[in-house]
Amino acid sequence: MNSAKDEQDAKALDARLRERALLARGVPDDRLMLADTTLLAALDGSRALTPNERQALAASPLTLRRFRHLSLERRALLAPAANDAQWFGSTGMLRAASSTAALEALVTDDNYWTLQFLPHDGGWQVILSLSAQAPFAARLLSEQPQLRVIDGGGAIVLQGRLDADGECERAWPFETAPAPHFHMYGAGFSVEPVA
């Protein structure tokens, strides 16, 4: 249990160090490469960045800093009251390296979300389920925010609102079966609010 927390802390530290390195580097004649409307649309999920826009973002520390600033502003606006349980997203990993059995479920690292995969008409249905033990469960069920699940490559696996049972169900959007699909994109996934 402690080693999992240590690993999570190490990953968080690594992410912060990479962020600082990206934001601190200098680029001659650097300028804002993307408009705020484009960056905000990417943050709220209404429009994904094109490959050229992602490249421009990565190449410009000034644009990256602006993107980070807009992200922090947005997070502050969406933050619940101090006495509410806060939730900004959950992540998880496909744990099995390989298996002959079909993938049935994935669980986030915090155990608050489960993705289930059910065979359906030659494809799969994917069901996102919220744990009743999640400290923010009552708030999410009453507010019903738009949620999405993204794979390790940033593609949307599922997007929608929770029903009264704390579930959201959609058809699997990819041609590849769930297990090989997640393996192709680093075996990771995230559950996050859209807005």
Side-chain angles (χ1 to χ4, degrees):
M1 186 76 150
N2 195 19
S3 64
K5 183 179 181 341
D6 291 344
E7 184 179 330
Q8 188 176 15
D9 290 346
K11 285 181 181 179
L13 178 61
D14 185 48
R16 284 195 303 273
L17 291 173
R18 277 184 298 177
E19 177 185 358
R20 283 186 187 162
L22 279 173
L23 295 174
R25 66 191 165 97
V27 173
D29 300 323
D30 192 13
R31 61 185 173 83
L32 283 177
M33 301 299 289
L34 300 171
D36 281 1
T37 54
T38 302
L39 297 174
L40 289 168
L43 285 169
D44 71 16
S46 62
R47 186 177 86 75
L49 293 175
T50 66
N52 286 341
E53 288 169 338
R54 285 195 304 269
Q55 185 178 2
L57 179 64
S60 169
L62 183 63
T63 308
L64 274 172
R65 285 193 294 272
R66 181 64 182 160
F67 188 62
R68 183 176 183 275
H69 175 77
L70 292 171
S71 174
L72 293 173
E73 269 186 352
R74 184 174 177 272
R75 181 174 280 186
L77 288 173
L78 296 175
N83 59 349
D84 288 345
Q86 294 188 19
W87 177 74
F88 298 110
S90 300
T91 60
M93 294 281 292
L94 176 63
R95 301 293 180 208
S98 64
S99 173
T100 56
L103 179 63
E104 294 179 4
L106 291 174
V107 179
T108 56
D109 296 338
D110 56 18
N111 291 317
Y112 295 148
W113 301 95
T114 302
L115 278 179
Q116 296 175 316
F117 306 96
L118 304 174
H120 182 69
D121 292 337
W124 296 268
Q125 283 292 106
V126 59
I127 303 169
L128 174 66
S129 302
L130 172 62
S131 168
Q133 276 66 48
F136 48 82
R139 184 171 52 82
L140 288 186
L141 289 173
S142 67
E143 293 176 6
Q144 294 191 324
Q146 183 91 346
L147 304 173
R148 69 177 165 210
V149 177
I150 57 172
D151 64 22
I156 296 175
V157 173
L158 173 146
Q159 186 165 312
R161 298 182 193 284
L162 297 173
D163 62 19
D165 295 327
E167 295 183 344
C168 180
E169 181 176 349
R170 297 287 183 272
W172 176 251
F174 309 106
E175 291 184 19
T176 315
H181 177 84
F182 283 107
H183 277 295
M184 285 190 303
Y185 296 101
F189 71 100
S190 301
V191 181
E192 58 189 30
V194 173

